[in-house]
Amino acid sequence: MSFIWLGVDVGSTTVKLVAVDEAGALLFKRYARANGRPRETLLEAHRSLRSQLGERPVASLGVTGSGGASVAAVLGGMHLNELVAQTRAIGRYHPEAHTVIEIGGQDSKYLSVRWDETTRQMILVDFAMNALCAAGTGSFLDQQAERLGVAIEEEFGRIALASHRAARVAGRCTVFAKSDMIHLQQEGTPLPDILAGLCLALARNFCTVIGKGKDFSAPVLFQGGVAYNKAVVRAFEQVLKLDPGELMVPEQHCYMAALGAAFIAADEARSGRPRPFHGFQALEAAILRRREEESRLEPLTNGRPPSRLLPVLRLESAEPIPTYLGVDVGSISTNLVLIDEEDRVLGRRYLMTSGQPLEAVRRGLRELLQDVGGGVEVRAVGSTGSGRYLTGDFVGADVVRNEITTQARAASAMDPRVDTVFEIGGQDSKYIRIQDGAVVDFAMNKACAAGTGSFLEEQADRLQIDIEEDFAELAFSSGCPSCLGERCTVFMESDLVHHQQRGAAVEDLTAGLAYSIVHNYLNRVVDTRELGNHIHFQGGVAANQSVTAAFEQVTGRAVTVPPHHDVTGAIGAAILAREEMARRPPGRRATRFRGFGVADRSYETSSFECRACPNLCEVKRIEIEGESPIFYGARCDIFEEAGRKQGNGRHLPDLFAERTALLMEGYQEPEPGSASHPRVGIPRSLIFHDLFPYWRTLFAELGIEIVLSGATSPRLIQLARERAAAETCFPVKLAFAHVVDLLDRGVSWLFLPSVLDRENVADGQVHNHYCPYIPAAPGARGTGQATGPPQEETGAGGGGG
């Protein structure tokens, strides 16, 4: 019986097993999601191999992947670096390749390779990998597909390919891209455009974060599980500006690392250096005897009765009851609440937004009307949440308030003693400090999803746990919660994968997730802010009793989960609408509410690019049947005449335009072509906005013409992402793009002064130092080459004072 060689790739989310024969022909392959049990998944793959190939003896084994080290220690054979394994397989199947893009669940790699005709081997010339961040990887697409209810395997790519105008999803990292995507959802952007924008964001993330200006010479191979997604393939072709056929997806793109491991194991065996293979029985025995390392976290205890939402009040009056409607459109959920004059809840709806906020609001209105019938009179409407303006105009809101105000108002109405509010929703988390019913301090998560509910849902799905039914029960049954870290959600996910690879029990991982959400929230959102003695825990995550128990364990304080905790934002909006209407004179108390019938009125959503300025905003137009269009997405109010006029009809002054006119006063762009005077290029960035009038006067007196870079635009923003490898603030990164723009304009000299400080701008002010990046900017170097002809770069100027 002939021997076979095995290759195993244990990744962060999947396990791959291949078998090859003496000639290297592929006899067997298996690709399976690990679902937190990589060793068990590998055993199941091996059983499939035996059923297909029988008891053929294994000559040797090669193991690679992020979880390959511990598996190789048990099975024997060779443990191989993923880059080495990839390079070996690429040389066998695609020796013509120059560049390799490999994207898996949590790992992404860039490889620059070259075929050596002398040794007949593929040489790894350069490489780059993602660090402890999932930027440019497949897990982000998995998460968003789950959030939108789209199947990642087939449906995601098919829908995205239907887009002809991909949405702009800025994405220096995947969490920022997620936040941008949520805003697009609230603005009513079509689903195909959002999905196509996500694919482009992932491709740009890879090129800027992983590639960082490296050479992407064709032919380019695209490997890994994400290569299944044809929309991502198209996105890479667009971002890299590749011609048809220059980007190739290998037939075995998911198995290249495993195949390379098998080939190297076979090479070692032929050279007389075989590694001992212990057999899969050793792995089965290791699974039975493994124990997770002891944790310092205390087991969670549940000393409270099961959380139950209070039932809504039943209407018994024959006359219409005065009510007030609150609408809270969040990133994950859309909540609607009807309250009476005494702030009691008469009707409520908690619905998934699913990327379609207006549809969720329409459904909520229909269902509320079914619940209360015709027995209510809506006298005022309040809207809140990240989609408050869109839905406020759609339903006719009288009050539009931010989430901090509405959450605090609801908490104070439920318990006047409350002094601290923890609010954790799907994508947002908030800390609110209240004193005598007034907000005295608050904090929110910024462009990061640290300490939010979406991560719990994503990880519960990863572990195949029902977040509502099983999560808390499993967490309370753990006697040894896993330490999963206190960092952002992407890092937490990496820690979870690490513990999975070590064989942690599901209940220990679940309890560890509850602790991690709490530690993340307290460290990243609350930070050093004060905690009171009467804490309310609000938002959808408050339904998870294990998270409440973790809060009490870590803070040492009692935490109250109020009634209707999941719709407190909508309750607060309704209360504020009632109070606002009560303050108005009797003759001005007519509500703007369009009525429950708005749920049945048709509307259309479209978008266009505004070219009134270099921002090139993507503006969304929503046309409701019988109403004037609603516009969203512009950075100014150019399409909102009501917002551009005061009560007497006069236009409000455009102070930004006035400032720009003052800054540019006296400057004229030189005529293109040959110059009669020397020309110097000045980037329109950083201290340009402070000192340009002085520079303009100085060079005019010297007889030198000035050429300015273009105003910041989406094109320059993309240039900055591609060229700025340094991790700085965004304005400093933009300076790279403005310099490249000047080089493309053909200037011979660049004026890049290194200015340390400036004159005192106020009496008594003694420290006037610029940020250190300002004087350092002239010496910075980006990545890649300018698209224009080579130019001489000269830094002029010196320390100011």
Side-chain angles (χ1 to χ4, degrees):
M1 184 179 296
S2 58
F3 285 91
I4 59 174
W5 284 262
L6 301 183
V8 175
D9 180 8
V10 183
S12 58
T13 58
T14 59
V15 172
K16 283 78 70 178
L17 173 65
V18 300
V20 299
D21 62 12
E22 176 71 25
L26 180 61
L27 304 176
F28 172 87
K29 62 181 181 181
R30 178 71 180 272
Y31 176 97
R33 287 187 174 268
N35 294 321
R37 293 175 286 272
R39 295 184 177 186
E40 290 85 347
T41 304
L42 179 56
L43 274 179
E44 293 174 5
H46 178 251
R47 294 189 186 103
S48 298
L49 182 148
R50 290 177 59 186
S51 65
Q52 183 171 329
L53 300 183
E55 297 293 339
R56 295 181 65 171
V58 177
S60 187
L61 169 74
V63 184
T64 188
S66 57
S70 60
V71 172
V74 175
L75 291 178
M78 301 180 63
H79 176 237
L80 298 163
N81 180 280
E82 298 168 73
L83 298 171
V84 175
Q86 291 272 7
T87 303
R88 179 66 176 82
I90 294 164
R92 178 178 181 88
Y93 292 107
H94 292 280
E96 75 280 9
H98 291 162
T99 307
V100 180
I101 298 169
E102 199 270 342
I103 303 180
Q106 274 195 288
D107 305 305
S108 54
K109 307 174 187 67
Y110 161 90
L111 290 79
S112 176
V113 293
R114 174 177 56 83
W115 179 256
D116 190 329
E117 287 290 348
T118 303
T119 61
R120 305 294 296 173
Q121 290 183 343
M122 185 65 81
I123 305 299
L124 180 62
V125 178
D126 192 11
F127 71 92
M129 302 174 63
N130 65 320
L132 294 175
C133 176
T137 67
S139 63
F140 176 64
L141 292 184
D142 284 345
Q143 294 166 9
Q144 300 320 302
E146 180 66 27
R147 291 184 68 254
L148 296 172
V150 176
I152 189 66
E153 283 79 10
E154 298 291 341
E155 191 177 16
F156 190 107
R158 176 175 54 79
I159 295 176
L161 287 175
S163 169
H164 299 288
R165 189 183 185 85
R168 289 178 185 160
V169 182
R172 180 59 176 167
C173 79
T174 55
V175 180
F176 299 157
K178 179 190 288 187
S179 300
D180 289 342
M181 185 202 70
I182 288 168
H183 291 302
L184 290 169
Q185 293 173 358
Q186 311 297 6
E187 292 169 358
T189 306
L191 182 60
D193 294 346
I194 293 178
L195 295 182
L198 287 169
C199 295
L200 284 170
L202 184 143
R204 294 190 186 106
N205 272 333
F206 184 94
C207 295
T208 58
V209 178
I210 309 300
K212 286 191 176 180
K214 294 181 181 295
D215 184 27
F216 284 82
S217 299
V220 178
L221 295 187
F222 186 16
Q223 303 177 171
V226 177
Y228 277 120
N229 193 316
K230 295 182 179 179
V232 178
V233 174
R234 183 181 70 174
F236 270 109
E237 290 175 336
Q238 293 174 357
V239 171
L240 295 176
K241 297 180 175 59
L242 298 175
D243 294 329
E246 290 186 332
L247 181 68
M248 301 180 294
V249 178
E251 180 182 358
Q252 310 297 342
H253 60 88
C254 284
Y255 303 93
M256 295 294 275
L259 286 166
F263 294 148
I264 295 175
D267 294 341
E268 290 290 307
R270 295 190 191 97
S271 64
R273 300 188 301 271
R275 306 291 178 90
F277 172 54
H278 303 153
F280 280 88
Q281 297 82 358
L283 181 62
E284 193 166 2
I287 293 174
L288 294 175
R289 67 172 181 268
R290 72 188 175 195
R291 292 292 183 270
E292 177 67 4
E293 63 182 357
E294 187 174 347
S295 170
R296 292 176 295 171
L297 296 177
E298 294 292 330
L300 295 172
T301 56
N302 185 20
R304 64 180 67 239
S307 175
R308 297 184 185 276
L309 295 173
L310 290 181
V312 299
L313 296 179
R314 297 300 177 188
L315 302 178
E316 299 178 355
S317 173
E319 297 295 328
I321 296 177
T323 60
Y324 303 87
L325 174 65
V327 181
D328 180 4
V329 178
S331 57
I332 301 297
S333 66
T334 293
N335 313 317
L336 293 88
V337 167
L338 277 175
I339 64 172
D340 64 7
E341 295 278 4
E342 299 179 10
D343 299 340
R344 296 177 298 182
V345 176
L346 304 180
R348 49 161 287 161
R349 275 295 179 272
Y350 181 96
L351 306 169
M352 293 295 104
T353 305
S354 300
Q356 298 178 301
L358 294 185
E359 286 302 311
V361 170
R362 287 169 51 148
R363 176 185 167 190
L365 290 173
R366 293 191 194 101
E367 294 181 2
L368 277 180
L369 184 60
Q370 290 175 357
D371 287 350
V372 301
V376 298
E377 176 191 356
V378 177
R379 292 190 173 180
V381 179
S383 67
T384 187
S386 53
R388 58 187 179 272
Y389 294 107
L390 169 62
T391 54
D393 277 346
F394 183 75
V395 302
D398 303 289
V399 169
V400 178
R401 295 290 185 267
N402 62 64
E403 303 96 306
I404 298 295
T405 303
T406 55
Q407 291 287 349
R409 186 66 191 90
S412 297
M414 294 174 180
D415 184 359
R417 302 173 303 163
V418 66
D419 53 20
T420 306
V421 175
F422 296 162
E423 197 276 337
I424 303 181
Q427 178 70 18
D428 305 308
S429 54
K430 309 169 190 70
Y431 156 87
I432 309 172
R433 191 80 166 91
I434 301 175
Q435 182 176 333
D436 298 327
V439 176
V440 295
D441 193 11
F442 71 93
M444 297 178 63
N445 65 322
K446 299 180 176 62
C448 177
T452 65
S454 61
F455 175 72
L456 279 184
E457 292 187 356
E458 292 154 6
Q459 300 316 306
D461 290 337
R462 173 188 291 275
L463 298 173
Q464 294 186 330
I465 297 173
D466 189 311
I467 189 71
E468 297 179 359
E469 301 293 333
D470 303 330
F471 192 102
E473 182 179 352
L474 285 169
F476 287 127
S477 68
S478 170
C480 186
S482 299
C483 290
L484 297 177
E486 305 173 3
R487 300 170 290 174
C488 80
T489 54
V490 180
F491 294 157
M492 284 169 57
E493 185 170 342
S494 300
D495 290 336
L496 178 67
V497 171
H498 168 73
H499 284 273
Q500 290 173 349
Q501 309 289 11
R502 296 180 63 87
V506 173
E507 56 267 25
D508 296 338
L509 293 172
T510 306
L513 286 170
Y515 268 113
S516 290
I517 288 294
V518 169
H519 284 301
N520 255 314
Y521 176 85
L522 293 175
N523 291 339
R524 305 301 176 190
V525 180
V526 179
D527 198 17
T528 59
R529 295 174 177 86
E530 182 182 6
L531 297 181
N533 296 317
H534 298 280
I535 301 174
H536 268 210
F537 184 16
Q538 300 175 176
V541 177
N544 192 319
Q545 291 179 287
S546 64
V547 178
T548 306
F551 265 122
E552 294 183 328
Q553 183 75 36
V554 174
T555 64
R557 292 172 168 84
V559 176
T560 300
V561 178
H564 304 296
H565 59 81
D566 55 339
V567 294
T568 46
I571 292 174
I575 293 174
L576 290 170
R578 176 183 60 76
E579 294 173 339
E580 171 65 23
M581 198 60 69
R583 283 192 292 267
R584 294 181 181 179
R588 296 181 55 198
R589 292 182 179 177
T591 179
R592 296 178 60 242
F593 182 45
R594 299 177 188 271
F596 288 100
V598 73
D600 298 318
R601 296 170 67 180
S602 61
Y603 71 94
E604 293 183 359
T605 302
S606 59
S607 63
F608 61 93
E609 186 177 71
C610 174
R611 296 183 173 273
C613 75
N615 281 328
L616 302 179
C617 296
E618 188 79 13
V619 181
K620 309 297 182 303
R621 179 198 292 114
I622 298 176
E623 297 182 77
I624 306 173
E625 181 184 4
E627 301 285 346
S628 300
I630 303 172
F631 297 95
Y632 290 92
R635 290 176 172 84
C636 68
D637 56 3
I638 188 172
F639 297 101
E640 302 169 34
E641 284 297 320
R644 301 177 65 225
K645 296 182 179 180
Q646 296 175 326
N648 58 9
R650 291 188 294 107
H651 283 275
L652 291 171
D654 188 342
L655 299 181
F656 285 100
E658 291 183 16
R659 183 185 188 278
T660 301
L662 290 172
L663 180 69
M664 304 299 292
E665 185 178 3
Y667 171 73
Q668 289 186 347
E669 183 80 23
E671 293 292 333
S674 59
S676 58
H677 298 280
R679 287 183 176 178
V680 64
I682 300 180
R684 200 183 304 220
S685 62
L686 301 177
I687 56 174
F688 163 86
H689 301 283
D690 287 339
L691 301 180
F692 179 65
Y694 166 69
W695 294 340
R696 184 193 66 238
T697 305
L698 172 66
F699 286 115
E701 291 296 323
L702 296 175
I704 298 175
E705 295 180 333
I706 295 175
V707 177
L708 295 180
S709 60
T712 298
S713 64
R715 183 184 72 85
L716 291 185
I717 290 173
Q718 183 58 32
L719 267 178
R721 294 190 184 119
E722 295 173 353
R723 303 302 174 93
E727 294 298 330
T728 66
C729 62
F730 189 61
V732 173
K733 291 177 182 177
L734 272 176
F736 286 90
H738 283 279
V739 168
V740 172
D741 184 62
L742 285 170
L743 296 177
D744 290 343
R745 292 170 185 261
V747 298
S748 299
W749 300 85
L750 292 179
F751 181 65
L752 301 174
S754 179
V755 182
L756 301 177
D757 47 39
R758 59 170 298 169
E759 72 281 359
N760 295 342
V761 295
D763 293 338
Q765 182 175 341
V766 295
H767 296 293
N768 297 288
H769 302 301
Y770 279 115
C771 164
Y773 284 124
I774 301 296
R781 288 293 181 267
T783 58
Q785 300 294 324
T787 55
Q791 305 292 336
E792 181 179 4
E793 299 183 39
T794 300

